Amino acid sequence: MSIESAIKDAQEAIFEHRSIYLSNEQAVRDTLINPILNELGWNTKSLKFVVPNAPNEDGKIPDYVLLKNHKKVLVVEAKNMSIDLSDSQIIKQIASYCYNPGIKFGVLTNGEKWLLFNTFQANPSERIVWKLDLIKDEIQQAIRKLLCITYEVIEQTEQLSSTIRKDELLEDAWKNMVQGKESITAIFCESIQQKIKFEYPSVLLNPDHVRSFITDKLKEFFHIATNKDVHTTKNKIIE
């Protein structure tokens, strides 16, 4: 099985048995969380990789402590699906499991939603590194996030997650600015009109004329870009 298959199996199980997962945390662990952790390289049946329900130095009992080379590298806290994972008290709970042992990252999950947070982030508003919803998010996006916490690359979680966070910020900014072709045209129209107004204040432009001009230029630009992509693909195939 692959991580993609594990995600799809989890999605199917959530659709079929959500009523059970709403109150049964053990079912969440056994049928949703464990299969995914196993596919990420954390053998949940081996104490070499995963120690479940083990009291830490403070006597607190996290659901999972993940180990690499006998070192604690990640805490995973499981909840049933009726629990609001954004509750600040729950975040504090898992942070307390990580803080004294010096574990930098923790995962909070109900099997459907996954949340990675940075224990030692000074700014609480930036403590959550990424959020994942196995039902709502695109599967490739889900895979990309989960692969940040595999056994093989756990030492690189910070760098990998930082890239994902920056990409998400760029994506959000893009979506806020651009809602379709019309919004792109409007952005260019405003920019062009402001530029001409600044450099040539005596020139009056008809907004409809500007829009028509920009529309034609965008069609020309995207036509050229598309053709270049086609030629590049053909050349690669020939090679």
Side-chain angles (χ1 to χ4, degrees), residues 108-215:
L108 179 62
T109 179
N110 61 13
E112 176 181 9
K113 296 177 181 178
W114 296 65
L115 181 156
L116 177 73
F117 78 95
N118 188 328
T119 308
F120 302 105
Q121 173 56 252
N123 187 345
S125 65
E126 296 183 3
R127 190 164 289 166
I128 296 176
V129 181
W130 50 249
K131 295 179 180 180
L132 167 62
D133 189 315
L134 292 187
I135 299 300
K136 295 180 180 179
D137 293 349
E138 294 181 1
I139 193 162
Q140 291 305 317
Q141 184 181 30
I143 291 171
R144 188 181 180 202
K145 288 180 178 179
L146 289 173
L147 288 180
C148 291
I149 55 172
T150 64
Y151 178 84
E152 291 299 326
V153 302
I154 193 66
E155 297 88 354
Q156 301 170 43
T157 292
E158 184 166 17
Q159 300 94 307
L160 295 171
S161 297
S162 175
T163 299
I164 288 175
R165 181 174 174 80
K166 290 173 184 176
D167 287 348
E168 288 187 332
L169 291 174
L170 289 170
E171 183 70 25
D172 287 343
W174 174 262
K175 287 179 179 177
N176 287 332
M177 288 182 62
V178 180
Q179 276 96 41
K181 293 181 181 178
E182 282 301 312
S183 63
I184 295 175
T185 302
I187 291 169
F188 275 95
C189 285
E190 182 178 356
S191 179
I192 290 289
Q193 288 180 95
Q194 289 295 329
K195 179 177 177 61
I196 292 178
K197 183 178 180 181
F198 178 77
E199 296 182 358
Y200 307 97
S202 62
V203 176
L204 298 177
L205 293 173
N206 183 305
D208 290 336
H209 183 197
V210 174
R211 177 173 290 276
S212 176
F213 174 82
I214 295 297
T215 300

Side-chain angles (χ1 to χ4, degrees), residues 42 66-71 73 151-155:
W42 306 100
L66 276 50
L67 308 174
K68 184 168 184 178
N69 299 326
H70 308 290
K71 179 183 177 182
V73 291
Y151 178 84
E152 291 299 326
V153 302
I154 193 66
E155 297 88 354

Side-chain angles (χ1 to χ4, degrees), residues 54-111:
N56 60 23
E57 294 82 353
D58 301 323
K60 296 175 180 177
I61 306 176
D63 291 330
Y64 303 80
V65 175
L66 276 50
L67 308 174
K68 184 168 184 178
N69 299 326
H70 308 290
K71 179 183 177 182
K72 298 175 181 178
V73 291
L74 189 70
V75 165
V76 178
E77 183 67 10
K79 299 294 180 184
N80 66 54
M81 288 187 182
S82 68
I83 302 297
D84 180 7
L85 299 187
S86 63
D87 188 320
S88 61
Q89 292 304 312
I90 296 176
I91 300 295
K92 287 180 181 179
Q93 175 191 10
I94 188 171
S96 70
Y97 295 155
C98 300
Y99 191 76
N100 284 341
I103 303 172
K104 190 165 189 177
F105 291 99
V107 170
L108 179 62
T109 179
N110 61 13

